[in-house]
Every structure is written in C-alpha cells, then in structure tokens.
Amino acid sequence: MSDDTVWCISGILPRDKAEALEYVVEIAADTVEMIPPTVTSFEVEDGKVWMTQMFFVGEPEPDLVTAVLAEAGLTDWAYDCAPVEDRDWVSESQRLLAPVREGRFFVYGSHDADKAPDDTVNLLIEAGQAFGTGQHETTSCCLALIDALGNEGYAPATILDLGTGSGVLALAAHRVWADARVVASDIDPIAVEVLVENLAVNRAIERGIGEDRPGIAPLVADGLDAPAFAEEGPFDLVTANILAAPLIFLAPGITGVTAKGGKVILSGILQTQADEVLAAYVAEGLTLEKKLERGDWAALQLVRN
C-alpha cells in the first residue's frame, strides 16, 4: 500500500466532542511533523450525535492519534481505523450526479452533455463549490414553480435570486423571461465567482448593477441592505432557496423588496418547518398560493397583496 493512501478514523461522538476534536486538529496542524489530518463531521441524530471522520495521508502513527485524541478528551473513543478505498472519486461523483428533468428544464453536468434533449431548456451546472445542481429536492421544487409560472403567463420584469449559489435558479428564470432584469446575489464571493462562470458556460447575458437592460447581474451581498437592491427593485419575482431560520429572519426584508402583486418562492425548508416559515411571511402581508412537497422538503409560493 502506497504512502499516499488515505486512512480514515471514524466513529460516533457527541456534538461537543466532535467540535473539540476539530479544534484540536486545527491547532495542531502547524505543529505535527506528518501531513496533518482533516476532520469532518455530520449530524446523525437530532443535532446531538455526530459521525466524525479524521483523514490522514498515510497510515497514522498510533502515538500521534493517541496524543490528538487525548488533547480533545477522547481517550475512551471507540473508533474504527482503515484505509479509504482507492477509487476514481471524480468519476464516482459524476455518476451519482445524474441529470435532472424538471418541467421544461434539463440540468446536467458536462459528463452528461450527450443526454441533453433538443426540446428542453438545458442548463449546464457542474458540481463544485457552490450549492445548486438541481438534484436536491429544494432546487427541483423551485424549478418546478418557475416552470409553472412561465406556463401560467406570469411575466416579471425584475427578478431577484437571493442566495443564488451556482446560479441555477437565476439562469432558469433568465431563460424563461429573457427580457427581465435579474439580480443574483450571494453572501459568499466564491459562489458569485461560480455563478459568473456558469453565466459564461450557459451563454447567459451578464450585466452590471444599475444597467437598464435584460440579463443577470451578479452581486456579493449580506442580506438585503445593499443599495443595489433598492436600485434594482422592487422585484416582481423573488426566489430564495436558503434555510428556514434565515428565511424567517429575512421575512421583512424580502417582503420589502418585493413589488406589490409580486411572487415569492421560498425553499430550503423541511416540511416540519413550513408552517413557521409561512407564518413569518403571512405576518408581513403575503398570501400562500402554492405549497410543493418532495421527500422531507417543502417549497412555498406566495404573493404580496
């Protein structure tokens, strides 16, 4: 087995212990002589229990593992240690990211370019550093609602995709309403960089904030306080595929940038959270038009009265 084989130590930990291990590894990264480990954790039960994995390049030295775990207070952690299977992870991830057909839209990666039909709106979105490849129920729900609005003859002149990620919803809206002015904003500059790349790949029209012409204007912004929202708005359509908590927090702001009679599509919401999110927007004067459920997730379409 080669020295560059990746090894993984894995096991179940309480959340506080998992966070302690991540902290210790981060601090130790500049002091250990071997290539430092990487730690990742994900929730498996109610936010209290986490599967934690610590990766090493090469088989980890037992003394190093013991020292790191002791520093994190994990002297009695029952973990497994084994080499990670040597696989072509790029090909594997591409295989799992199958194309998505949603209404008029076909979202695909370059590895599936030969599968793109001639009678669909084809969006090339690679899996990468920004959220939104169409596979997740939250994104597909939003695509379904955008498609339905287009079929119903709704014609927004101004559109905001808040928390745009890869830009898939902004691109979808741009393809349905080619004459609209779209703003695609995200708090993450990397996401906006990915968005700009996806605009070029999909031959979408990029424009600047304040330019009075059709196209998509990329914007790095935290929340809705940036002057650009007032300059570009109010918006006839707002899409926000984020998470329940920030959607609730942003309810006054999203309502404030939505034109009277404008539509709002919200997603990233667990079905168990939908009533709470809806209540926040009803309190701001919006009315529910549609609710779409898929798997554990829900999307809401509302109108500002």
Side-chain angles (χ1 to χ4, degrees):
M1 192 170 293
S2 65
D3 291 338
D4 59 356
T5 299
V6 176
W7 284 68
C8 178
I9 287 176
S10 62
I12 298 294
L13 286 172
R15 179 174 179 173
D16 60 336
K17 294 294 186 181
E19 292 174 344
L21 181 58
E22 291 179 3
Y23 176 77
V24 167
V25 169
E26 181 181 350
I27 295 301
D30 295 330
T31 60
V32 296
E33 294 183 359
M34 67 171 292
I35 296 177
T38 298
V39 176
T40 182
S41 300
F42 56 90
E43 177 185 342
V44 295
E45 184 182 328
D46 298 331
K48 299 178 181 178
V49 180
W50 293 67
M51 169 59 74
T52 301
Q53 298 171 311
M54 184 161 55
F55 295 93
F56 295 81
V57 177
E59 185 174 1
E61 295 289 339
D63 290 346
L64 173 65
V65 174
T66 298
V68 171
L69 297 184
E71 187 67 24
L74 299 176
T75 54
D76 57 351
W77 186 29
Y79 61 82
D80 296 319
C81 182
V84 176
E85 181 181 355
D86 186 13
R87 299 166 70 179
D88 183 348
W89 292 106
V90 172
S91 297
E92 183 71 9
S93 65
Q94 291 179 342
R95 184 185 67 80
L96 294 172
L97 290 174
V100 172
R101 176 72 182 262
E102 189 59 62
R104 76 188 70 194
F105 303 114
F106 185 83
V107 186
Y108 67 101
S110 57
H111 56 286
D112 283 319
D114 59 333
K115 299 177 183 178
D118 295 329
D119 60 346
T120 54
V121 173
N122 299 321
L123 301 175
L124 174 55
I125 305 290
E126 302 284 17
Q129 293 176 289
F131 176 80
T133 54
Q135 278 78 14
H136 199 276
E137 293 95 331
T138 59
T139 308
S140 64
C141 280
C142 291
L143 290 172
L145 292 172
I146 291 171
D147 180 62
L149 284 174
N151 291 337
E152 293 163 7
Y154 188 64
T158 51
I159 301 170
L160 169 63
D161 182 25
L162 183 66
T164 192
S166 68
V168 62
L169 299 184
L171 283 163
H174 177 54
R175 296 293 293 276
V176 176
W177 300 289
D179 293 333
R181 290 185 291 109
V182 183
V183 174
S185 73
D186 203 290
I187 190 175
D188 183 3
I190 294 176
V192 176
E193 289 177 7
V194 172
L195 161 69
V196 171
E197 293 171 3
N198 286 336
L199 296 186
V201 167
N202 287 278
R203 298 182 179 180
I205 299 172
E206 182 181 347
R207 66 183 185 90
I209 294 293
E211 287 190 73
D212 188 14
R213 63 187 181 95
I216 301 175
L219 175 66
V220 179
D222 182 0
L224 291 157
D225 293 332
F229 295 109
E231 184 177 359
E232 291 279 340
F235 299 95
D236 301 318
L237 175 63
V238 177
T239 60
N241 182 15
I242 314 176
L243 290 170
L247 285 176
I248 292 170
F249 175 76
L250 290 169
I254 289 176
T255 302
V257 300
T258 303
K260 292 180 179 179
K263 312 281 189 180
V264 176
I265 294 174
L266 306 175
S267 195
I269 308 164
L270 289 168
Q271 289 192 32
T272 55
Q273 301 167 326
D275 288 345
E276 186 179 4
V277 174
L278 177 58
Y281 285 81
V282 169
E284 297 295 329
L286 277 70
T287 301
L288 179 67
E289 289 190 321
K290 294 181 183 178
K291 181 180 181 182
L292 194 57
E293 296 179 345
R294 291 186 180 175
D296 294 328
W297 300 90
L300 307 175
Q301 179 181 308
L302 307 103
V303 62
R304 182 177 181 188
N305 297 322

